[in-house]
Amino acid sequence: MAKQIKVNLKDKSYPIIIGENSSAKAIETINKSTVSKCLLIIDKNVFKYHSMFIRKNFALINCKVYTYTFVATEKNKSLQQTEKIYKFLFENSFDRNSIIVAVGGGITGDIASFAASTYLRGIKFIQVPTTLLAMVDSSVGGKTGVNFNQQKNIIGSFYQPELVTINPNFLSTLPKRELYSAAGEIFKSAFLADEKNYDLLKNSLYKLFVRQSFNIDKTIFACLKIKTSIVENDEKETTGLRKILNLGHTFAHAFEVQSNYKLKHGEAVIGGIYCALFLSESLGYLSTKRLNKFLTDFAFIKPKQNLIGLNSNWVFQSMSNDKKNSLGKIKFVLIEEIGNIVVDATAQKSLVLDSIERMKKLI
């Protein structure tokens, strides 16, 4: 039976449906509204493995359905690729009663939702995440964006979907590396709420890394309940609460850029979380005792080997261009305790570089 989480927002609320029959809800939503045309924006790799399932389900839509596939890489999460989507929409006469359905991982969701938010000043869209990372994090919350000038997600908007449908069956063809990449966001979520969720997500990660099997539905549900609660209280980062979702991400985005996107987002986040823990201790936010407990608890998660080769000074330079910075200062999200997160922290360059080097020693 499908599980449901409601995202309750001031201007627009929507459901997240988790379960094997979740796609039926997307079709029902489209058929209930006055939709003129539907565009499925699909990761080519997803279409390769799931085209029959996608065609069978979306054939039930009561309007003309178009398909746009692309290679979902960070290099293609760009204004140039967005222009190609605009051109497709324009040439096929999509209007304000049209809808976009994003079928893929975080990259697909980010660029499809950005296109939806800006074409004709905004048309409807639905998120159908197909990777574990997108299921536990990026498909929910309304952040859209593309990369520009070697910076992650620096152009984007806040734009909420009509709904999010999560079908864990998509994960059956997901490579192990993609599953482990999702661990970065699950790792982050473990620190954001309370001891109960910390233990639940720690155990999920242990089973994923050591036993290579875990309760997928339970893990997705726990992560999204945490994220939904945060987004509901600070949809557009106006109070600062939503910034806690960036724990480890200032480091991670710089790692991605400096690796020329050879690191996957979640892999970079794992390294970024460890850096944030070390920097938290160096600045006195986190006690050495608690740091050691966290390191022991997650000793089975190692940062990726290719983080070693990244030049820490160049990583620091990339951080200097991070979109979260203000008044010329790099802003970090750090931790005092489980559920007690520090936002907009600043640090001397030497301490930032030291935290990166300490992270590398874990590899």
Side-chain angles (χ1 to χ4, degrees), residues 50-228:
H50 300 283
S51 58
M52 286 184 65
F53 173 81
I54 292 166
R55 282 177 172 144
K56 180 182 175 183
N57 277 268
F58 288 96
L60 301 172
I61 293 174
N62 295 333
C63 68
K64 187 164 183 182
V65 179
Y66 297 76
T67 300
Y68 179 94
T69 62
F70 78 112
V71 179
T73 62
E74 289 288 351
K75 293 286 179 69
N76 277 342
K77 197 170 86 169
S78 64
L79 289 174
Q80 289 82 1
Q81 186 62 236
T82 309
E83 284 183 8
K84 291 178 183 177
I85 295 171
Y86 292 151
K87 186 178 180 183
F88 188 95
L89 291 165
F90 181 77
E91 289 180 347
N92 289 285
S93 303
F94 276 69
D95 58 28
R96 284 182 173 166
N97 291 319
S98 306
I99 193 165
I100 286 175
V101 181
V103 186
I107 292 170
T108 305
D110 281 355
I111 194 169
S113 57
F114 178 66
S117 75
T118 47
Y119 184 72
L120 299 177
R121 294 196 177 98
I123 62 175
K124 294 176 180 178
F125 86 101
I126 289 172
Q127 289 271 22
V128 183
T130 62
T131 65
L132 184 57
L133 189 148
M135 290 178 185
V136 300
D137 185 70
S138 64
S139 63
V140 171
K143 276 191 175 180
T144 85
V146 295
N147 305 331
F148 179 73
N149 202 26
Q150 288 294 300
Q151 293 303 310
K152 282 272 293 185
N153 302 329
I154 202 163
I155 296 174
S157 60
F158 288 97
Y159 195 70
Q160 301 296 344
E162 300 304 299
L163 78 157
V164 180
T165 68
I166 296 174
N167 184 346
N169 284 346
F170 278 116
L171 302 179
S172 64
T173 56
L174 205 65
K176 283 184 180 178
R177 188 181 178 192
E178 289 289 351
L179 286 174
Y180 294 154
S181 177
E185 296 295 351
I186 300 170
F187 191 17
K188 174 195 78 177
S189 296
F191 292 100
L192 300 185
D194 50 40
E195 293 278 355
K196 181 180 177 182
N197 279 290
Y198 176 88
D199 288 337
L200 187 159
L201 296 177
K202 177 186 69 175
N203 291 335
S204 289
L205 287 169
Y206 178 80
K207 289 174 183 176
L208 172 61
F209 275 85
V210 179
R211 299 180 187 171
Q212 300 185 348
S213 67
F214 66 110
N215 190 318
I216 293 171
D217 288 15
K218 195 172 182 179
T219 303
I220 293 170
F221 190 82
C223 288
L224 292 184
K225 283 291 285 184
I226 293 167
K227 182 165 187 180
T228 297

Side-chain angles (χ1 to χ4, degrees), residues 277-288 334-336 342 351:
L277 291 173
F278 287 128
L279 187 57
S280 297
E281 186 220 21
S282 296
L283 291 172
Y285 292 118
L286 180 66
S287 71
T288 302
L334 303 176
I335 180 170
E336 288 185 336
V342 180
L351 294 180

Side-chain angles (χ1 to χ4, degrees), residues 191 247-248 251 272-288 290-291 294 332-337 340-343 345-347 351-352 354-355 358:
F191 292 100
L247 179 65
F251 289 99
I273 296 291
Y274 279 121
C275 289
L277 291 173
F278 287 128
L279 187 57
S280 297
E281 186 220 21
S282 296
L283 291 172
Y285 292 118
L286 180 66
S287 71
T288 302
R290 288 300 276 169
L291 170 66
F294 295 150
F332 295 94
V333 180
L334 303 176
I335 180 170
E336 288 185 336
E337 186 51 271
N340 190 358
I341 308 298
V342 180
V343 300
T346 58
L351 294 180
V352 176
D354 179 65
S355 69
R358 290 172 73 183

